[in-house]
Amino acid sequence: MDFALTQEQRMVYEYGDRVSQRFDHGYWKKYAEKSEPPAELYKQITDDGFLGIMVPEAYGGAGQGMTEMLLFMEGLANNGIPLLNLVVGPTMTMGLMAKHASEAMKRRLLPGGCAGEIRFCFAITEPNAGSNSMEITSLARTDGKGGFRLTGQKVFITDANHADYAMVVTRTTPRSDVKKKSDGFTIFMVDMKKKGISKTLIPVAFPVPETQWQLFFDDVALTEDDVIGEVDKGFGILFDTLNPERIILSGLCTGVGRFALKKAVAYANDRKLFNKTPIGAYQGVQHPLAIARSEIEMASLMALKAAWAFDQGLPAGEFANIAKYAGAEAGIHAVDAAIQTHGGNGFTKEYGIYDLYGLVRLLRTAPLNREMVLNYIAEHVMGLPRSY
């Protein structure tokens, strides 16, 4: 059992730390308030070769794994730069393509993705099938000519307006026509310029650079070349996307939590009341911060364990779900403790703490809500009866 990072892993973590001090939280916040991607930061990350962390070197990537991607996210978020686009693009989409796409698709899309010339989004959630992906109704029917026609709707699709391609989880066999509910799924890489695709913005109530969209597919033409994996067997590879999503979002939450606590500690050491004593000397201030720090580090360790298991090709669902639960809760508690430490200043734009609460609170609910995560742990990890 070795808890030390390798030299390469340490370099990735430290790079995230350095670049997020150069492009600091104030820089991120400026773009978050405009709901625009931080262009200069993305260019720097791209130029330095960090978009393709999970992509083999043969396709322009760094040839690293989930652990390195997690460390990169944590390094950024530790300094107040949480990037949701790194979740849907480099982690979920490019990571899955690197493992399961055809050789032709890899060569067609991955080098451009690593170079920042092609951007991706991931589309699974539907209006009537949020947490219950088995009830997806979007359907790509065969057209009798070796192709497919996709019709359906997706919601809460991150950065769909900037994506060149969407990785779309859909059915190729309707739910009513399969014996096993996980059968009949196919994953397509869909060119967003195709005829029949439209989108509408979903406004969110807190500042973040990435935007959320509804996507509509109206008889969109697809081919066998657009399929990732096999037709009707997409569910078998889906968790190579969903587990990494949960792992890296845990890292985002723990990083944001560390950033908030760092600001709270600085404020608590500086702010003096009652006999000119720093408020950080009082246990009523200390203990919530110390509890939050403990929760952050425990969640971070579980995320690293989940990433390690995924990289080793071991079952990672248990650890990924626990990490997602622990990371979201720890992030919320840390930001809340930081707000409380700042008192009234915690709600001002000048101090910038409250702005982070919406994001970490979102991740208790999305992409899989806390209750469904706990259901998974209860049933699949602990052996309790299915509850839903």
Side-chain angles (χ1 to χ4, degrees):
M1 185 179 294
D2 186 354
F3 287 94
L5 300 179
T6 67
Q7 183 178 0
E8 282 188 331
Q9 290 168 344
R10 175 60 60 183
M11 288 173 62
V12 170
Y13 190 64
E14 290 175 350
Y15 172 80
D17 182 69
R18 287 196 309 274
V19 78
S20 59
Q21 290 186 48
R22 177 184 169 191
F23 300 94
D24 60 12
H25 178 66
Y27 167 87
W28 175 90
K29 185 178 175 183
K30 178 179 70 174
Y31 280 95
E33 289 177 345
K34 296 189 295 183
S35 297
E36 294 178 4
E40 300 89 352
L41 174 58
Y42 275 120
K43 184 179 186 307
Q44 188 67 62
I45 290 171
T46 302
D47 290 347
D48 293 337
F50 281 82
L51 282 187
I53 287 179
M54 298 179 70
V55 174
E57 293 179 14
Y59 308 104
Q64 301 299 309
M66 186 66 239
T67 303
E68 289 75 20
M69 195 71 222
L70 169 67
L71 291 169
F72 180 43
M73 175 64 87
E74 277 200 356
L76 291 170
N78 284 346
N79 292 308
I81 299 187
L83 296 178
L84 289 173
N85 185 268
L86 291 183
V87 179
V88 297
T91 305
M92 298 179 71
T93 305
M94 291 167 64
L96 188 76
M97 273 197 291
K99 293 184 70 171
H100 298 288
S102 66
E103 184 65 20
M105 182 181 288
K106 290 177 185 178
R107 296 201 176 278
R108 178 164 55 94
L109 296 179
L110 286 178
C114 294
E117 298 164 357
I118 301 174
R119 300 185 68 171
F120 305 97
C121 65
F122 182 85
I124 184 171
T125 305
E126 297 188 0
N128 296 315
S131 297
N132 189 4
S133 297
M134 298 300 176
E135 299 302 325
I136 282 175
T137 58
S138 58
L139 183 64
R141 295 185 180 274
T142 57
D143 62 6
K145 303 175 184 178
F148 305 86
R149 310 295 295 197
L150 172 62
T151 298
Q153 180 183 355
K154 299 290 182 181
V155 293
F156 295 110
I157 309 306
T158 301
D159 267 2
N161 59 322
H162 297 297
D164 300 294
Y165 288 84
M167 183 176 284
V168 179
V169 181
T170 186
R171 283 194 170 276
T172 35
T173 301
R175 173 77 169 84
S176 58
D177 294 345
V178 295
K179 293 181 180 179
K180 188 177 179 182
K181 60 185 179 181
S182 58
D183 289 343
F185 284 92
T186 303
I187 301 175
F188 288 91
M189 187 58 68
V190 179
D191 187 337
M192 292 290 283
K193 296 187 296 295
K194 282 184 175 289
K195 182 181 178 181
I197 299 176
S198 59
K199 52 188 175 289
T200 59
L201 179 69
I202 303 173
V204 297
F206 55 88
V208 67
E210 298 84 1
T211 48
Q212 300 296 318
W213 296 82
Q214 293 189 72
L215 291 182
F216 302 91
F217 302 98
D218 184 11
D219 201 35
V220 177
L222 301 172
T223 71
E224 287 274 2
D225 292 338
D226 299 318
V227 175
I228 297 178
E230 298 181 56
V231 174
D232 274 353
K233 297 182 180 179
F235 194 82
I237 63 174
L238 187 56
F239 285 93
D240 274 351
T241 281
L242 299 184
N243 284 330
E245 178 187 42
R246 290 164 198 178
I247 294 167
I248 196 168
L249 285 174
S250 179
L252 185 152
C253 288
T254 55
V256 168
R258 288 194 190 100
F259 175 73
L261 292 176
K262 183 165 56 178
K263 290 176 75 72
V265 167
Y267 187 86
N269 279 322
D270 182 66
R271 177 71 165 161
K272 294 178 181 179
L273 293 171
F274 308 113
N275 302 318
K276 304 302 181 182
T277 300
I279 62 172
Y282 298 112
Q283 290 179 347
V285 174
Q286 288 183 354
H287 287 184
L289 297 178
I291 291 169
R293 177 59 184 263
S294 300
E295 292 177 343
I296 288 290
E297 298 310 321
M298 287 188 287
S300 182
L301 277 175
M302 181 53 72
L304 280 170
K305 182 173 184 178
W308 173 85
F310 183 85
D311 286 340
Q312 298 299 313
L314 301 172
E318 171 184 350
F319 309 135
N321 277 279
I322 293 174
K324 195 272 182 183
Y325 166 79
E329 297 302 305
I332 290 170
H333 296 162
V335 174
D336 187 70
I339 292 170
Q340 192 70 9
T341 299
H342 280 77
N345 285 330
F347 298 88
T348 65
K349 284 188 173 293
E350 177 185 355
Y351 285 84
I353 298 294
Y354 192 79
D355 288 344
L356 295 168
Y357 184 78
L359 179 57
V360 291
R361 179 58 184 85
L362 166 71
L363 296 177
R364 177 188 277 172
T365 302
L368 185 67
N369 66 51
R370 176 179 62 179
E371 291 69 30
M372 291 303 295
V373 169
L374 294 175
N375 286 340
Y376 179 94
I377 295 167
E379 179 184 351
H380 296 284
V381 178
M382 303 175 68
L384 292 167
R386 187 176 179 86
S387 60
Y388 60 95

